[in-house]
Amino acid sequence: GAVVSQHPSRVICKSGTSVKIECRSLDFQATTMFWYRQFPKQSLMLMATSNEGSKATYEQGVEKDKFLINHASLTLSTLTVTSAHPEDSSFYICSAKQGARETQYFGPGTRLLVL
Amino acid sequence: GQNIDQPTEMTATEGAIVQINCTYQTSGFNGLFWYQQHAGEAPTFLSYNVLDGLEEKGRFSSFLSRSKGYSYLLLKELQMKDSASYLCAVVWADSWGKLQFGAGTQVVVTP
């Protein structure tokens, strides 16, 4: 149980385009999903917290207009990187938790390369 | 956020034991996770400690002392596949379940 999927696993795009990443909880209802970014040889940095049916809460320094998050159902959250630039190239990972349970289960990650 | 400290790298031989320490500030502490992350992959859950003491799960054990702000992950009978980064992550009170990760400890297992 507690499987989280992400799609796509890898994406290459041109500078200025937008990229959408999907995060799905496959066998449980994820009341809360989290989006992280990880640069090479660094730890995970939380970008935003997404609760189903409400607006995402962004961490300090993360531009909400650039990283659009939608959590329309209990099994799906999406992250859209708008007008991507080379500095947005990174490993984006989502996680999901169920209700009051603390454990977060991570998706396999999406590697974004912006040329 | 508050500091979470763990060593950068540890090296051990196959079959040995390695202990990865993690220290954090005790104020507002709710619980502590350990995750394993192989290069290029997402983290996988290893353990979650809320109460003081040792929890054992096969070759991996995790210990917590809330009063000392200290946890460790113990890896026994090391295998080559255990070479990975081990992340300590703290849940703070009133953080709505958000995790704050340490920088990770890279464990290198040698033959």
Side-chain angles (χ1 to χ4, degrees), chain B residues 16-22 32-36 45-49 51-65 70-78 82 86-88 107:
Chain B
I17 299 173
V18 71
Q19 178 174 313
I20 307 168
N21 297 326
C22 174
L32 187 144
F33 286 89
W34 284 99
Y35 284 89
Q36 179 193 60
F45 170 77
L46 292 178
S47 66
Y48 176 49
N49 292 72
L51 301 176
D52 286 352
L54 182 70
E55 292 198 10
E56 299 186 73
K57 270 187 198 179
R59 294 190 299 114
F60 293 3
S61 304
S62 58
F63 171 84
L64 178 70
S65 169
Y70 168 67
S71 172
Y72 67 73
L73 180 69
L74 194 69
L75 285 61
K76 294 181 277 190
E77 301 169 21
L78 278 174
D82 297 330
Y86 291 84
L87 307 173
C88 169
V107 170

Side-chain angles (χ1 to χ4, degrees), chain A residues 66-88:
Chain A
K66 180 169 182 63
F67 298 100
L68 301 178
I69 291 172
N70 184 279
H71 191 162
S73 77
L74 283 171
T75 58
L76 174 65
S77 176
T78 60
L79 167 69
T80 301
V81 183
T82 62
S83 186
H85 288 97
E87 58 265 30
D88 299 324

Side-chain angles (χ1 to χ4, degrees), chain A residues 38 43 46 59 102 104 106-107, chain B residues 35 37 42 48 97-99 102:
Chain A
Q38 186 176 33
S43 193
L46 180 65
E59 294 300 299
E102 292 287 5
Q104 292 184 29
F106 286 83
Chain B
Y35 284 89
Q37 186 179 27
Y48 176 49
K98 294 192 293 187
L99 293 179

Side-chain angles (χ1 to χ4, degrees), chain A residues 6 32 34 36 38 41-46 49 57 59 91 93 97 102-109 111, chain B residues 30 33 35 37 39-45 48 50 87-88 91 95-104:
Chain A
Q6 265 183 257
T32 307
F34 301 88
Y36 295 83
Q38 186 176 33
K41 297 191 183 300
Q42 294 186 23
S43 193
L44 282 75
M45 296 299 295
L46 180 65
T49 303
T57 304
E59 294 300 299
F91 192 43
I93 310 173
K97 66 188 284 286
E102 292 287 5
T103 303
Q104 292 184 29
Y105 296 95
F106 286 83
R111 193 160 299 282
Chain B
N30 227 16
F33 286 89
Y35 284 89
Q37 186 179 27
E41 299 179 13
T44 55
F45 170 77
Y48 176 49
V50 177
L87 307 173
C88 169
V91 181
S95 69
W96 303 99
K98 294 192 293 187
L99 293 179
Q100 181 182 354
F101 282 86

Side-chain angles (χ1 to χ4, degrees), chain A residues 12-23:
Chain A
I12 301 173
C13 69
K14 292 182 179 179
S15 187
T17 60
S18 294
V19 174
K20 181 187 279 190
I21 303 169
E22 292 186 349
C23 177

